[in-house]
Amino acid sequence: MLLAIETSCDETAVAVLDDKAFLAGERALSSVLKHEIVSSQVQLHSPYGGVVPELASREHIINLPMLVQEALRAAGTSVRDLSAVCVTRGPGLNGCLLVGVAYAKALASALRIPLFPLNHLEGHIFAGELREQITALRLPALVLLVSGGHTELLFVPSFRKYEVVARTRDDAAGEAFDKCASLLGLPYPGGPALSALAQDGDATRFSFPVGMPDSEHDFSFSGVKTAVSRVVRGLGDLTDGTRRDLAASVEQALVAALVHKTERALRRLRPVSFLLTGGVAANQPLRTALGELMGKRNLPIIVPDRRWCTDNAAMMGMLGLRIIEHLGPELHGWKPGTQEHSDLAPGVPFGIGAVPRWPLEEVSFRPAVA
Ligand code: KG4
Ligand code: ZN
């Protein structure tokens, strides 16, 4: 059994996956993903209008061991059956990552099993494989990864190779949703609430500029927030109707910017599939607009189930399974004392720490030897 741990931000998440079944060719998700738990801290941070890093890491350290026990029990297994541990090493909040990494290192070394320190953004990409029948992304693929912390348009020419087509210069798309929602008086995290409010609004009433429309390599979302704040100040007290129209206009502006850059990248790169992932992939107008765009081009669009769009450990485990599959015999060849930084246990890279900033193009093919 593979244990996957994710603590990069404000979700403590644990998943147990049956690596033996997966390596034997089993692709039914229910046979591979034995259990998963996501414990969200949204309520804890809500009064502060955003994630408070210190509070988040304190929560992780309290919750993680209990969640691991609970997940193992629910999966009908125990630590003795664990064959490897996957953990998010970065990018994310340093203190939060450290909790997961320290726990995973201790567990892997005590059990003398391999440890895989993984990239969180890469996990979001492998969330696309979590379907009833686990299916690898068809390559070359174009990926739009939009979350509260990241906005990246990526080209994936081959397995675990990432070329950044465009990324944000300032705020992430989810951050822009959240900040604009806050200006409209909605509680944190405001993205889903803003989208709900937008449903009955008039998107043509306000026009909000989206930065860098002509740049192929940059998104910029901070201008929208400034424009909304100026309009809100000018309007004074907002009626419900005006709030709805503001929400609809903001949502349209953000969605249009994402769709516009995606369309340009499609024309240039000609991928054979498209993946929309990350927390903002839960946004219905974005899903619809990109679905239509791909429909016109006859391109398959993959959008993970909503629970795997936001942060979770199943996606990290999925990535771990693919790495184990590709390492194959090399992994079986690991012997105690042969790994760099480690003379205690096989495949445990003890010399690793958290990596708060870790761009995807710097992901190495063999993460176990850090
Ligand atoms: O991936 P995620 O759970 O956490 C990060 O790694 O950031 O993404 C959370 C982000 C938040 O900014 C949230 O407001 C946004 O995703 N989000 C949405 C929707 N659902 C979640 N934004 C717009 N519309 C939604 N329906
Ligand atoms: Zn994330």
Side-chain angles (χ1 to χ4, degrees), residues 85-121:
V85 181
C86 289
V87 66
T88 301
R89 185 189 187 190
L93 299 168
N94 194 39
C96 295
L97 293 164
L98 281 174
V99 173
V101 170
Y103 182 94
K105 276 211 254 188
L107 187 64
S109 65
L111 297 172
R112 299 172 70 81
I113 55 176
L115 170 69
F116 294 88
L118 304 178
N119 183 296
H120 175 78
L121 302 176

Short mmCIF file of all heavy atoms in Angstrom, two decimals, residues 85-121:
data_model
loop_
_atom_site.label_atom_id
_atom_site.label_comp_id
_atom_site.label_asym_id
_atom_site.label_seq_id
_atom_site.Cartn_x
_atom_site.Cartn_y
_atom_site.Cartn_z
N VAL A 85 5.96 5.85 0.78
CA VAL A 85 5.26 7.06 1.23
C VAL A 85 5.51 8.17 0.21
O VAL A 85 6.65 8.38 -0.22
CB VAL A 85 5.76 7.53 2.62
CG1 VAL A 85 4.99 8.76 3.07
CG2 VAL A 85 5.62 6.42 3.65
N CYS A 86 4.45 8.85 -0.19
CA CYS A 86 4.56 10.02 -1.07
C CYS A 86 4.21 11.24 -0.24
O CYS A 86 3.26 11.21 0.54
CB CYS A 86 3.49 10.00 -2.16
SG CYS A 86 3.77 8.79 -3.37
N VAL A 87 4.94 12.32 -0.44
CA VAL A 87 4.60 13.53 0.29
C VAL A 87 4.83 14.76 -0.58
O VAL A 87 5.76 14.78 -1.39
CB VAL A 87 5.40 13.64 1.61
CG1 VAL A 87 6.89 13.80 1.35
CG2 VAL A 87 4.88 14.78 2.47
N THR A 88 3.98 15.75 -0.43
CA THR A 88 4.18 17.01 -1.15
C THR A 88 5.34 17.76 -0.51
O THR A 88 5.31 18.07 0.69
CB THR A 88 2.90 17.88 -1.06
OG1 THR A 88 1.83 17.15 -1.63
CG2 THR A 88 3.10 19.18 -1.82
N ARG A 89 6.36 18.02 -1.32
CA ARG A 89 7.55 18.71 -0.82
C ARG A 89 7.48 20.21 -1.14
O ARG A 89 8.19 21.02 -0.54
CB ARG A 89 8.75 18.07 -1.52
CG ARG A 89 10.06 18.59 -1.05
CD ARG A 89 11.17 18.08 -1.94
NE ARG A 89 12.45 18.46 -1.38
CZ ARG A 89 13.61 18.32 -2.02
NH1 ARG A 89 13.63 17.80 -3.23
NH2 ARG A 89 14.72 18.70 -1.47
N GLY A 90 6.68 20.59 -2.11
CA GLY A 90 6.54 21.98 -2.52
C GLY A 90 5.81 22.02 -3.83
O GLY A 90 5.52 20.95 -4.38
N PRO A 91 5.47 23.18 -4.38
CA PRO A 91 5.54 24.47 -3.71
C PRO A 91 4.39 24.62 -2.73
O PRO A 91 3.42 23.87 -2.79
CB PRO A 91 5.42 25.46 -4.87
CG PRO A 91 4.67 24.73 -5.93
CD PRO A 91 4.99 23.28 -5.75
N GLY A 92 4.51 25.59 -1.83
CA GLY A 92 3.46 25.82 -0.85
C GLY A 92 4.01 26.64 0.31
O GLY A 92 5.08 27.24 0.20
N LEU A 93 3.29 26.61 1.42
CA LEU A 93 3.71 27.37 2.60
C LEU A 93 4.77 26.56 3.35
O LEU A 93 4.55 25.38 3.66
CB LEU A 93 2.50 27.63 3.51
CG LEU A 93 1.38 28.46 2.88
CD1 LEU A 93 0.13 28.42 3.74
CD2 LEU A 93 1.84 29.90 2.67
N ASN A 94 5.89 27.19 3.63
CA ASN A 94 7.03 26.47 4.18
C ASN A 94 6.69 25.65 5.43
O ASN A 94 6.95 24.46 5.49
CB ASN A 94 8.16 27.46 4.47
CG ASN A 94 9.48 26.74 4.73
OD1 ASN A 94 9.79 25.76 4.06
ND2 ASN A 94 10.22 27.22 5.70
N GLY A 95 6.10 26.31 6.41
CA GLY A 95 5.79 25.62 7.68
C GLY A 95 4.84 24.46 7.47
O GLY A 95 4.94 23.42 8.12
N CYS A 96 3.90 24.62 6.56
CA CYS A 96 2.93 23.56 6.27
C CYS A 96 3.61 22.38 5.61
O CYS A 96 3.38 21.22 5.98
CB CYS A 96 1.83 24.11 5.37
SG CYS A 96 0.84 25.38 6.17
N LEU A 97 4.45 22.67 4.63
CA LEU A 97 5.17 21.61 3.93
C LEU A 97 6.06 20.84 4.89
O LEU A 97 6.15 19.60 4.83
CB LEU A 97 6.04 22.20 2.81
CG LEU A 97 5.28 22.84 1.64
CD1 LEU A 97 6.21 23.72 0.82
CD2 LEU A 97 4.67 21.75 0.75
N LEU A 98 6.70 21.57 5.80
CA LEU A 98 7.63 20.93 6.74
C LEU A 98 6.94 19.88 7.59
O LEU A 98 7.54 18.85 7.90
CB LEU A 98 8.27 21.99 7.65
CG LEU A 98 9.42 22.79 7.02
CD1 LEU A 98 9.87 23.90 7.97
CD2 LEU A 98 10.60 21.88 6.68
N VAL A 99 5.70 20.14 7.96
CA VAL A 99 4.97 19.17 8.79
C VAL A 99 4.84 17.84 8.03
O VAL A 99 5.16 16.77 8.54
CB VAL A 99 3.58 19.70 9.19
CG1 VAL A 99 2.78 18.61 9.90
CG2 VAL A 99 3.70 20.93 10.07
N GLY A 100 4.39 17.92 6.79
CA GLY A 100 4.19 16.72 5.99
C GLY A 100 5.51 16.02 5.70
O GLY A 100 5.63 14.79 5.82
N VAL A 101 6.54 16.79 5.33
CA VAL A 101 7.83 16.21 4.96
C VAL A 101 8.47 15.54 6.17
O VAL A 101 8.96 14.41 6.08
CB VAL A 101 8.76 17.29 4.36
CG1 VAL A 101 10.18 16.76 4.21
CG2 VAL A 101 8.24 17.75 3.00
N ALA A 102 8.46 16.20 7.33
CA ALA A 102 9.08 15.63 8.53
C ALA A 102 8.36 14.33 8.93
O ALA A 102 8.99 13.33 9.26
CB ALA A 102 9.05 16.64 9.67
N TYR A 103 7.04 14.38 8.88
CA TYR A 103 6.26 13.19 9.24
C TYR A 103 6.57 12.04 8.28
O TYR A 103 6.81 10.90 8.70
CB TYR A 103 4.76 13.53 9.20
CG TYR A 103 3.87 12.38 9.60
CD1 TYR A 103 3.44 12.25 10.91
CD2 TYR A 103 3.46 11.43 8.67
CE1 TYR A 103 2.63 11.18 11.28
CE2 TYR A 103 2.66 10.37 9.03
CZ TYR A 103 2.24 10.25 10.34
OH TYR A 103 1.44 9.20 10.70
N ALA A 104 6.58 12.35 6.98
CA ALA A 104 6.80 11.30 5.97
C ALA A 104 8.20 10.71 6.08
O ALA A 104 8.39 9.50 5.94
CB ALA A 104 6.56 11.88 4.57
N LYS A 105 9.18 11.56 6.33
CA LYS A 105 10.57 11.07 6.48
C LYS A 105 10.67 10.13 7.67
O LYS A 105 11.28 9.06 7.59
CB LYS A 105 11.51 12.26 6.74
CG LYS A 105 11.99 12.97 5.51
CD LYS A 105 13.39 13.53 5.76
CE LYS A 105 13.44 14.99 5.94
NZ LYS A 105 14.80 15.53 6.00
N ALA A 106 10.05 10.53 8.77
CA ALA A 106 10.12 9.70 9.98
C ALA A 106 9.46 8.36 9.74
O ALA A 106 10.00 7.31 10.09
CB ALA A 106 9.45 10.43 11.15
N LEU A 107 8.28 8.40 9.13
CA LEU A 107 7.54 7.16 8.89
C LEU A 107 8.31 6.24 7.93
O LEU A 107 8.48 5.05 8.20
CB LEU A 107 6.15 7.49 8.32
CG LEU A 107 5.20 6.32 8.17
CD1 LEU A 107 4.86 5.70 9.51
CD2 LEU A 107 3.91 6.76 7.48
N ALA A 108 8.79 6.81 6.83
CA ALA A 108 9.49 6.00 5.83
C ALA A 108 10.77 5.41 6.41
O ALA A 108 11.12 4.25 6.13
CB ALA A 108 9.79 6.83 4.59
N SER A 109 11.47 6.20 7.21
CA SER A 109 12.72 5.67 7.75
C SER A 109 12.45 4.60 8.81
O SER A 109 13.15 3.59 8.87
CB SER A 109 13.60 6.79 8.32
OG SER A 109 12.96 7.38 9.41
N ALA A 110 11.41 4.79 9.61
CA ALA A 110 11.08 3.78 10.62
C ALA A 110 10.67 2.47 9.96
O ALA A 110 11.00 1.39 10.43
CB ALA A 110 9.96 4.29 11.53
N LEU A 111 9.94 2.57 8.85
CA LEU A 111 9.45 1.37 8.17
C LEU A 111 10.45 0.84 7.14
O LEU A 111 10.21 -0.21 6.55
CB LEU A 111 8.11 1.67 7.47
CG LEU A 111 6.94 2.07 8.37
CD1 LEU A 111 5.75 2.52 7.54
CD2 LEU A 111 6.53 0.90 9.26
N ARG A 112 11.51 1.61 6.91
CA ARG A 112 12.53 1.24 5.90
C ARG A 112 11.89 1.02 4.52
O ARG A 112 12.08 -0.01 3.87
CB ARG A 112 13.30 0.00 6.35
CG ARG A 112 14.05 0.24 7.67
CD ARG A 112 14.65 -1.01 8.22
NE ARG A 112 15.77 -1.49 7.40
CZ ARG A 112 17.02 -1.01 7.47
NH1 ARG A 112 17.29 -0.03 8.30
NH2 ARG A 112 17.96 -1.50 6.71
N ILE A 113 11.09 2.01 4.11
CA ILE A 113 10.44 1.95 2.79
C ILE A 113 10.76 3.24 2.02
O ILE A 113 11.11 4.25 2.63
CB ILE A 113 8.90 1.77 2.91
CG1 ILE A 113 8.29 2.88 3.78
CG2 ILE A 113 8.56 0.38 3.45
CD1 ILE A 113 6.78 2.83 3.88
N PRO A 114 10.65 3.22 0.69
CA PRO A 114 10.99 4.40 -0.10
C PRO A 114 10.08 5.60 0.18
O PRO A 114 8.90 5.44 0.49
CB PRO A 114 10.81 3.93 -1.55
CG PRO A 114 10.86 2.46 -1.49
CD PRO A 114 10.32 2.07 -0.15
N LEU A 115 10.67 6.76 0.04
CA LEU A 115 9.94 8.02 0.20
C LEU A 115 10.00 8.78 -1.11
O LEU A 115 11.06 8.90 -1.72
CB LEU A 115 10.61 8.85 1.30
CG LEU A 115 10.13 10.29 1.46
CD1 LEU A 115 8.71 10.33 2.00
CD2 LEU A 115 11.06 11.08 2.38
N PHE A 116 8.85 9.29 -1.55
CA PHE A 116 8.80 10.09 -2.77
C PHE A 116 8.37 11.51 -2.44
O PHE A 116 7.20 11.74 -2.15
CB PHE A 116 7.81 9.49 -3.77
CG PHE A 116 8.24 8.15 -4.29
CD1 PHE A 116 7.91 6.98 -3.62
CD2 PHE A 116 9.00 8.06 -5.44
CE1 PHE A 116 8.32 5.75 -4.09
CE2 PHE A 116 9.42 6.83 -5.93
CZ PHE A 116 9.08 5.66 -5.25
N PRO A 117 9.30 12.46 -2.45
CA PRO A 117 8.93 13.85 -2.20
C PRO A 117 8.48 14.50 -3.51
O PRO A 117 9.27 14.61 -4.44
CB PRO A 117 10.23 14.48 -1.70
CG PRO A 117 11.31 13.46 -1.91
CD PRO A 117 10.76 12.31 -2.65
N LEU A 118 7.22 14.90 -3.58
CA LEU A 118 6.64 15.26 -4.87
C LEU A 118 6.22 16.72 -4.98
O LEU A 118 6.01 17.40 -3.98
CB LEU A 118 5.42 14.37 -5.14
CG LEU A 118 5.66 12.86 -5.09
CD1 LEU A 118 4.35 12.12 -5.34
CD2 LEU A 118 6.72 12.44 -6.09
N ASN A 119 6.07 17.15 -6.23
CA ASN A 119 5.67 18.52 -6.54
C ASN A 119 4.14 18.62 -6.57
O ASN A 119 3.47 17.87 -7.28
CB ASN A 119 6.27 18.91 -7.89
CG ASN A 119 5.98 20.34 -8.27
OD1 ASN A 119 4.83 20.73 -8.48
ND2 ASN A 119 7.02 21.15 -8.37
N HIS A 120 3.63 19.57 -5.82
CA HIS A 120 2.18 19.74 -5.68
C HIS A 120 1.50 20.06 -7.03
O HIS A 120 0.40 19.55 -7.32
CB HIS A 120 1.93 20.87 -4.68
CG HIS A 120 0.50 21.25 -4.51
ND1 HIS A 120 -0.37 20.50 -3.75
CD2 HIS A 120 -0.22 22.28 -4.99
CE1 HIS A 120 -1.56 21.07 -3.78
NE2 HIS A 120 -1.50 22.15 -4.53
N LEU A 121 2.14 20.90 -7.83
CA LEU A 121 1.53 21.28 -9.11
C LEU A 121 1.45 20.06 -10.03
O LEU A 121 0.48 19.88 -10.77
CB LEU A 121 2.36 22.38 -9.78
CG LEU A 121 2.53 23.64 -8.95
CD1 LEU A 121 3.44 24.63 -9.66
CD2 LEU A 121 1.18 24.28 -8.69
#
